[in-house]
Amino acid sequence: MTRQRIIEKAAPLFNQRGFSGCSMQDVMEATGLEKGGLYRHFKSKQELAIEALRYALSATNDAHFVDLSTFSSATEKMLYLVARFIEVPSPLPGGCPLLNTAIDADDSNPALRAVAQQGLSGWKLRLEKIVQDGIVSGEISAQIEPRRVANAFIATLEGSLVVSRLEGKRTAMRDAQKTLEIMIKSLRSGG
Amino acid sequence: MTRQRIIEKAAPLFNQRGFSGCSMQDVMEATGLEKGGLYRHFKSKQELAIEALRYALSATNDAHFVDLSTFSSATEKMLYLVARFIEVPSPLPGGCPLLNTAIDADDSNPALRAVAQQGLSGWKLRLEKIVQDGIVSGEISAQIEPRRVANAFIATLEGSLVVSRLEGKRTAMRDAQKTLEIMIKSLRSGG
Amino acid sequence: MTRQRIIEKAAPLFNQRGFSGCSMQDVMEATGLEKGGLYRHFKSKQELAIEALRYALSATNDAHFVDLSTFSSATEKMLYLVARFIEVPSPLPGGCPLLNTAIDADDSNPALRAVAQQGLSGWKLRLEKIVQDGIVSGEISAQIEPRRVANAFIATLEGSLVVSRLEGKRTAMRDAQKTLEIMIKSLRSGG
Amino acid sequence: MTRQRIIEKAAPLFNQRGFSGCSMQDVMEATGLEKGGLYRHFKSKQELAIEALRYALSATNDAHFVDLSTFSSATEKMLYLVARFIEVPSPLPGGCPLLNTAIDADDSNPALRAVAQQGLSGWKLRLEKIVQDGIVSGEISAQIEPRRVANAFIATLEGSLVVSRLEGKRTAMRDAQKTLEIMIKSLRSGG
DNA sequence: ACCTACGGGACGTCCCGTTTAT
DNA sequence: ATAAACGGGACGTCCCGTAGGT
């Protein structure tokens, strides 16, 4: 279907250049369609951008959250998630769409923001669930607050992306990985 | 001097809306000057944006790095820095200019990027120095790599900004603070 | 059509303020369009000014040259033309566009000048024709040179406009009318 | 005196290009002075333009109104004035300053307008005086209104300037001359 | 689905009249 | 009297997002 093809071509552009930095002209060139062809499928640039973000979010989610059922331990799941996040390259150019949208659509464009919020919320809930399950199983100390761990986990990962991006090298990501590994291991009861 | 006045008025605008999201028309309205008055002082929008970023960077630096000489201990210095970063509100609207520029000027605008890189580099060097001094004084375990700590420190802080911004609440920042406090205390020799 | 609407709004402005005295900004305000909207229809201010002059010329022509076929006599036609010129107010603010352009676009702007020249030429030819017809019919003395009469006729009328404008009252126009009436009557064979 | 030199250089420029069409830059180049040098003598462009117009007016007056005392007859004086007006080239480039200012400073610039009004008024009064003297001496019919004659005289002359300027040839001026000659001769009592 | 027309508006250059410092 | 700085603002190009016609 053409609509889907447009979304797939537009997603990396919006992700790399931001909403106002990516023009419909850019999308035209990427898809080979004309203005009219685009507006046939999306009533506005905004609508296209939202669909593109949704697509980008689910694509990166698919890349990071693979089947974790092979791991029985909560901390092993978390260690695996960190490793994947750090090692698996972003499936779409421009890096984490959550991060990009958080900054790009700060005040303007609340619709885009809402989609990103939803994506973040989903990610966080999954993490909290893992920690919570670890507590229930006795693997993780009951003192630990799942929300705090999830927040710190995501913050460290996303922040390392920011630093790496600015520096143009992956050192900060590897340092974040190592730090998170220590943090995760320290969650273990009596750890 | 008019030039400085323009920079001070433009800095929050660029910080909030990004380079392409902030028009010279916006700056005109904020300063009360006309096109001619603006372009007399800056040869291009780019040049103004760079000066505005430099100003924003030094303003936030001033807000975060106050005199640390009252603290004799490295970890106490770090705890204080975290607290300030979390508690002191950004001196200019739009939040951390480092973060904003890292995302906004990702590929395009290498000149802006370079200024932000420099800012990040300065911040990191100061942190590494503190850790290094702690190692030398015996306060911090010699196993610790100053670079890794600095990277994780900054990543967690910046990442918590991203999450907080997207969520519209400060929970993630406070969680990051608590997590960093634990991390910092764990640096202590035999800690 | 937008193009025509722009011309009609711009014509009085250019006629009143002259080419360099009327800015595109003025036209923007008068039409409610923005730069882009204007320059879509006219490739330059010059082109718009020319169309506006053409429009102004034909509007004033329509006002002055009404159907003369009800008059069988040449001198009656001329008397009627004088009366209309003096009595009928200019259809567009700023007065006679021929006069305005002759002075405004003296050296600069030969393109505008050319349009005005053409307008003058048309006017003069019509007058010469009337005089010539009067000679052929025997109403007007064969000694009379149509060109001289036409020139004097137009000169007196336009000159009275200049004087009236400077004085801010219509006395000079009425005096010109009376003088031309005497002149016209004196053209009659044996008059 | 420098001031006078500036006026003499500026007068032809303002006369040719109009107030807004002649820039201080143009005056700088014509005088060889710098901006500051100009503003030392005139507090504004407006003030300079007024002085330049005054100078232009008196220069053209000098050229047209020479000593008429050698003529004893009113109509001969008038014929001589017409001849001079038509034949003597304008002492300053750009033609009749009265005409130029009447159109150029129509609504804007009332100060300039006032100076031109004064110039016109002086010219008209002199003509009316001549006609009036002719009536008193019995040369001119008592029926004649001096004001009407003066107005028609000036209108025809100025109007012929307009036509000539637009056409780029002097035919209209010569035709106006001939027509005025006939008109003047017809003023004679019993003429 | 293409193509063209539409109006919006940012950008940056240029030059203007004026002021100030020297 | 010079020279530089100042702020104002017109101009025209370019490209944007959108709407219709074909």
Side-chain angles (χ1 to χ4, degrees):
Chain A
M1 197 220 218
T2 303
R3 182 182 157 94
Q4 191 54 28
R5 226 195 63 229
I6 297 172
I7 291 172
E8 286 167 25
K9 294 288 188 186
L13 297 180
F14 279 111
N15 198 46
Q16 285 178 287
R17 313 183 191 179
F19 181 75
S20 74
C22 169
S23 73
M24 290 305 266
Q25 180 70 26
D26 294 335
V27 180
M28 281 167 61
E29 280 156 23
T31 56
L33 292 181
E34 293 300 316
K35 284 265 180 75
L38 256 31
Y39 276 88
R40 178 150 200 69
H41 295 286
F42 305 92
K43 73 176 222 297
S44 68
K45 181 187 181 184
Q46 161 103 330
E47 185 184 311
L48 170 55
I50 287 176
E51 292 309 314
L53 176 56
R54 257 196 256 277
Y55 170 80
L57 248 20
S58 82
T60 49
N61 252 10
D62 289 354
H64 293 143
F65 281 93
V66 288
D67 185 27
L68 294 174
S69 61
T70 54
F71 299 94
S72 57
S73 142
T75 54
E76 273 174 14
K77 284 180 182 169
M78 294 176 76
L79 290 171
Y80 181 67
L81 286 177
V82 171
R84 276 198 77 83
F85 192 94
I86 299 300
E87 284 154 19
V88 175
S90 172
L92 88 166
C96 178
L98 226 43
L99 176 57
N100 292 333
T101 310
I103 308 305
D104 181 49
D106 192 7
D107 272 335
S108 62
N109 227 327
L112 260 188
R113 221 180 105 97
V115 176
Q117 274 172 335
Q118 219 177 317
L120 172 64
S121 169
W123 190 11
K124 195 141 72 175
L125 284 173
R126 291 209 234 191
L127 286 172
E128 293 182 24
K129 178 73 162 41
I130 292 172
V131 178
Q132 183 59 40
D133 289 350
I135 293 172
V136 169
S137 76
E139 179 192 357
I140 292 177
S141 159
Q143 249 93 313
I144 298 298
E145 298 169 278
R147 193 212 63 243
R148 203 209 85 212
V149 174
N151 268 335
F153 187 99
I154 293 177
T156 308
L157 251 19
E158 291 292 343
S160 76
L161 249 31
V162 173
V163 175
S164 284
R165 195 128 117 196
L166 209 41
E167 293 186 334
K169 51 186 183 152
R170 300 172 49 78
T171 319
M173 289 173 69
R174 282 191 301 264
D175 286 347
Q177 179 179 20
K178 199 177 261 179
T179 303
L180 280 176
E181 283 170 355
I182 295 171
M183 189 265 268
I184 291 166
K185 285 171 189 157
S186 78
L187 297 178
R188 289 174 183 153
S189 306
Chain B
M1 195 211 207
T2 302
R3 182 183 159 94
Q4 191 55 28
R5 226 191 62 226
I6 296 172
I7 291 172
E8 285 166 26
K9 295 286 190 187
L13 297 180
F14 279 112
N15 197 46
Q16 284 178 289
R17 311 182 194 179
F19 180 76
S20 73
C22 168
S23 75
M24 288 306 264
Q25 181 66 32
D26 294 336
V27 180
M28 282 168 59
E29 278 156 25
T31 57
L33 291 181
E34 296 296 317
K35 272 279 169 64
L38 251 33
Y39 278 91
R40 161 154 313 278
H41 295 286
F42 304 91
K43 73 176 220 299
S44 67
K45 181 185 180 185
Q46 161 103 331
E47 187 184 310
L48 170 56
I50 287 176
E51 292 307 315
L53 176 57
R54 256 196 256 278
Y55 171 80
L57 248 21
S58 84
T60 49
N61 252 10
D62 289 354
H64 293 143
F65 280 94
V66 287
D67 186 26
L68 293 175
S69 61
T70 55
F71 300 93
S72 56
S73 141
T75 53
E76 275 172 15
K77 284 180 182 170
M78 294 176 76
L79 290 170
Y80 181 68
L81 286 177
V82 171
R84 276 197 77 82
F85 191 95
I86 298 300
E87 285 154 18
V88 176
S90 173
L92 87 167
C96 178
L98 226 45
L99 176 56
N100 292 332
T101 311
I103 308 306
D104 182 51
D106 192 8
D107 272 334
S108 63
N109 228 327
L112 259 187
R113 222 180 104 96
V115 175
Q117 275 173 336
Q118 219 178 314
L120 172 63
S121 168
W123 190 10
K124 194 140 73 175
L125 284 173
R126 292 209 232 192
L127 286 171
E128 292 182 22
K129 178 73 163 42
I130 292 172
V131 178
Q132 183 59 40
D133 289 349
I135 293 172
V136 168
S137 75
E139 179 192 358
I140 292 176
S141 158
Q143 248 92 311
I144 299 298
E145 296 169 277
R147 194 213 60 244
R148 203 209 85 213
V149 173
N151 269 335
F153 187 101
I154 292 177
T156 308
L157 251 21
E158 291 292 343
S160 76
L161 250 32
V162 173
V163 174
S164 285
R165 196 130 117 196
L166 208 42
E167 293 186 334
K169 50 187 183 148
R170 299 171 50 79
T171 319
M173 289 173 69
R174 284 191 300 263
D175 286 347
Q177 179 178 18
K178 200 177 259 181
T179 304
L180 280 175
E181 283 170 356
I182 296 171
M183 189 265 269
I184 291 166
K185 285 171 188 158
S186 78
L187 297 178
R188 290 177 181 150
S189 306
Chain C
M1 198 208 207
T2 303
R3 184 183 157 93
Q4 191 55 28
R5 226 193 63 225
I6 297 172
I7 291 172
E8 285 166 26
K9 294 286 188 188
L13 296 180
F14 278 112
N15 197 46
Q16 284 178 288
R17 312 181 193 180
F19 180 75
S20 73
C22 168
S23 75
M24 288 306 265
Q25 181 66 31
D26 294 336
V27 180
M28 282 166 60
E29 279 157 25
T31 57
L33 292 180
E34 295 295 318
K35 271 278 169 64
L38 251 33
Y39 278 92
R40 162 154 312 280
H41 296 285
F42 305 91
K43 73 176 220 300
S44 67
K45 181 186 180 183
Q46 161 103 333
E47 186 184 310
L48 170 55
I50 286 176
E51 291 306 316
L53 176 57
R54 255 196 256 278
Y55 171 80
L57 248 20
S58 83
T60 48
N61 252 10
D62 289 354
H64 292 144
F65 279 94
V66 288
D67 186 26
L68 294 175
S69 61
T70 55
F71 300 94
S72 56
S73 139
T75 53
E76 274 173 14
K77 284 180 183 170
M78 294 175 76
L79 290 171
Y80 181 68
L81 285 177
V82 171
R84 275 197 79 81
F85 191 94
I86 299 299
E87 285 153 18
V88 175
S90 172
L92 87 168
C96 177
L98 226 43
L99 176 56
N100 293 332
T101 311
I103 307 305
D104 182 49
D106 192 9
D107 272 336
S108 64
N109 227 328
L112 260 187
R113 223 179 103 98
V115 175
Q117 275 172 335
Q118 219 177 314
L120 172 63
S121 168
W123 191 9
K124 195 139 73 176
L125 284 172
R126 291 210 234 192
L127 286 172
E128 292 182 23
K129 178 74 163 40
I130 292 172
V131 178
Q132 183 59 41
D133 289 350
I135 293 173
V136 168
S137 76
E139 179 192 359
I140 292 176
S141 158
Q143 247 95 309
I144 298 298
E145 296 169 278
R147 194 212 61 243
R148 202 210 85 211
V149 173
N151 268 335
F153 187 100
I154 293 177
T156 308
L157 250 20
E158 292 291 343
S160 77
L161 250 32
V162 173
V163 175
S164 284
R165 195 129 118 196
L166 208 43
E167 292 187 334
K169 50 187 183 148
R170 299 171 49 79
T171 318
M173 289 173 68
R174 283 192 300 262
D175 286 347
Q177 179 178 20
K178 199 178 259 179
T179 304
L180 279 175
E181 283 170 357
I182 296 171
M183 190 265 268
I184 290 165
K185 285 171 188 157
S186 78
L187 298 177
R188 292 178 182 146
S189 306
Chain D
M1 195 219 219
T2 302
R3 183 182 156 93
Q4 190 55 28
R5 226 195 63 229
I6 296 173
I7 292 171
E8 285 167 25
K9 295 285 189 188
L13 296 180
F14 279 112
N15 198 46
Q16 285 178 287
R17 311 183 192 180
F19 181 76
S20 74
C22 169
S23 73
M24 290 304 266
Q25 179 70 26
D26 294 335
V27 180
M28 281 169 60
E29 280 156 23
T31 56
L33 291 180
E34 293 299 316
K35 284 266 179 75
L38 256 29
Y39 275 87
R40 180 151 196 66
H41 295 286
F42 304 91
K43 72 177 222 298
S44 68
K45 181 188 181 184
Q46 161 103 330
E47 186 185 310
L48 171 55
I50 286 176
E51 292 308 316
L53 175 57
R54 258 196 254 278
Y55 170 79
L57 247 21
S58 83
T60 49
N61 253 9
D62 289 355
H64 292 143
F65 281 94
V66 288
D67 186 25
L68 293 175
S69 61
T70 54
F71 300 93
S72 55
S73 139
T75 53
E76 273 174 16
K77 283 180 184 172
M78 294 175 76
L79 290 171
Y80 181 68
L81 285 178
V82 172
R84 276 197 76 84
F85 191 94
I86 299 300
E87 285 154 17
V88 175
S90 173
L92 87 167
C96 177
L98 226 43
L99 176 57
N100 293 334
T101 311
I103 308 305
D104 182 49
D106 192 9
D107 272 335
S108 63
N109 227 327
L112 260 188
R113 221 180 104 98
V115 175
Q117 274 173 334
Q118 219 177 317
L120 172 63
S121 169
W123 190 10
K124 194 140 72 176
L125 283 173
R126 291 209 233 191
L127 286 171
E128 293 182 24
K129 178 73 164 37
I130 292 172
V131 178
Q132 183 59 40
D133 289 350
I135 292 172
V136 169
S137 76
E139 179 191 358
I140 293 177
S141 159
Q143 249 93 311
I144 300 296
E145 297 168 277
R147 193 211 64 242
R148 202 209 85 211
V149 173
N151 269 336
F153 187 100
I154 293 177
T156 308
L157 250 20
E158 292 291 344
S160 77
L161 250 30
V162 173
V163 175
S164 284
R165 195 128 117 197
L166 209 40
E167 292 186 335
K169 50 185 186 156
R170 301 173 46 80
T171 318
M173 289 173 68
R174 283 191 300 263
D175 287 346
Q177 178 177 21
K178 200 177 259 179
T179 303
L180 280 176
E181 283 169 357
I182 296 171
M183 189 266 269
I184 291 166
K185 284 170 188 158
S186 78
L187 297 178
R188 290 176 184 152
S189 307

